[in-house]
């Protein structure tokens, strides 16, 4: 900014202070005036109908600023400023936006990452992830099981996993629709329920203590049950590393989530556990890796769809 522009700015500020000083009988606090001028820089247009609400809003904002900065109780402070006239009417909306922005950026990077993660999950909607279940098993054929998980970002999902110890091609399909949990067991029968017990009891009967982690449930518990860190990957992505702090043993010990920095798509989610002594399932990790072409036809999240042969849907991009 040129010297001429700076001088013009100084003169405008002085005129504003003088105008307020006349109105208040010269009783003006310099620090408070500085805050007012900072807010004045956020001035934006506002309709006449909103001005009364704006006055109340800006006075509330200023009161909070005074509380936060702490006043000198022993000093005879001037009477609280009351913002009147068109000069200050538009400030409430601008101040609210500014304070919200400051509050957002004052949050830790970890809290922002968790908030962004939930929004990203919902925004990107329908997509499929390749699923890999890793087990501590001496038999190489049972140490890694490959399946699929489909999500819509709004709570619905479908998990398709084979049963390696059963007949060739045997598998189990379970998921959640809009209003219920369901499972299509290897015998082809549908079981339904209002919560995940309908799935859990079947898994416990077949695989003992095998976990079945959900993206929706994990993202909802990151802030309350995990210590979260954010780091960059060598590939230029963003990795969120969450370590469990709660004593809820049903949750994964560690969750690693990788996001593409450009598209903000969730590339992968990896859940890790330490299998307990005597574990039947012996699951130590489950990894979901994004499959770009998401084959999710209409009604895919309903169990009846998987009763009709249960074959994978054709590979077409649902975003088209």
């Amino acid at each position: 900014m040129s010297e001429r522009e700076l001088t013009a700015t100084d003169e405008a500020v002085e005129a504003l202070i003088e105008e307020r000083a006349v109105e208040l009988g010269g009783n003006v606090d310099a620090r408070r005036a500085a805050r007012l001028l900072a807010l004045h820089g956020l001035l934006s247009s506002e309709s006449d109908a909103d001005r009364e609400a704006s006055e109340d809003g800006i006075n509330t904002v200023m009161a909070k600023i005074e509380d936060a900065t702490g006043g000198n109780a022993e000093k005879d402070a001037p009477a609280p400023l009351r913002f009147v006239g068109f000069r200050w009417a538009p400030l409430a909306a601008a101040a609210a936006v500014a304070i919200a922005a400051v509050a957002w950026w004052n949050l830790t990077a970890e809290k922002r990452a968790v908030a962004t993660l939930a929004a990203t999950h919902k925004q990107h909607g329908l997509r499929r992830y390749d699923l890999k279940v890793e087990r501590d098993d001496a038999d190489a054929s049972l140490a890694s099981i490959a399946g699929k998980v489909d999500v819509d970002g709004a709570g619905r999902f479908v998990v398709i996993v084979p049963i390696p110890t059963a007949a060739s091609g045997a598998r189990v399909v379970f998921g959640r629709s809009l209003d219920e949990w369901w499972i299509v067991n290897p015998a082809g029968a549908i079981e339904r329920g209002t919560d995940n017990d309908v799935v859990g009891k079947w898994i416990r009967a077949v695989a003992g203590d095998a976990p079945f982690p959900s993206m929706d449930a994990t993202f909802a518990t990151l802030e309350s049950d995990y210590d979260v860190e954010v780091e960059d990957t060598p590939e230029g992505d963003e990795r969120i590393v969450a370590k469990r702090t709660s004593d809820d043993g049903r949750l994964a010990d560690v969750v690693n989530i990788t996001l593409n920095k450009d598209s903000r798509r969730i590339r992968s989610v990896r859940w890790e556990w330490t299998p307990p002594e005597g574990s039947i399932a012996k699951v130590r990790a489950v990894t979901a890796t994004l499959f770009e072409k998401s084959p999710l036809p209409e009604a895919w999240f309903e169990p009846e769809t998987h009763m009709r042969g249960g074959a994978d849907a054709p590979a077409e991009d649902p975003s088209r």
Side-chain angles (χ1 to χ4, degrees), residues 8 10 43 45 48 53 81 97 99 109 144 153-154 160 169 201 216-217 228 248 250 282 311-312:
D10 291 344
L43 190 64
S45 61
D48 292 341
L81 293 178
V97 171
I99 289 173
S144 180
I160 303 172
K201 69 178 183 180
D216 297 274
V228 177
D248 188 347
R250 296 171 299 177
K282 303 176 184 177
D312 286 349

Side-chain angles (χ1 to χ4, degrees), residues 222-228 243-248 253:
L222 281 181
E223 186 171 355
S224 60
D225 295 311
Y226 288 86
D227 181 17
V228 177
K243 299 179 181 180
R244 181 164 61 88
T245 56
S246 76
D247 57 1
D248 188 347
D253 297 332

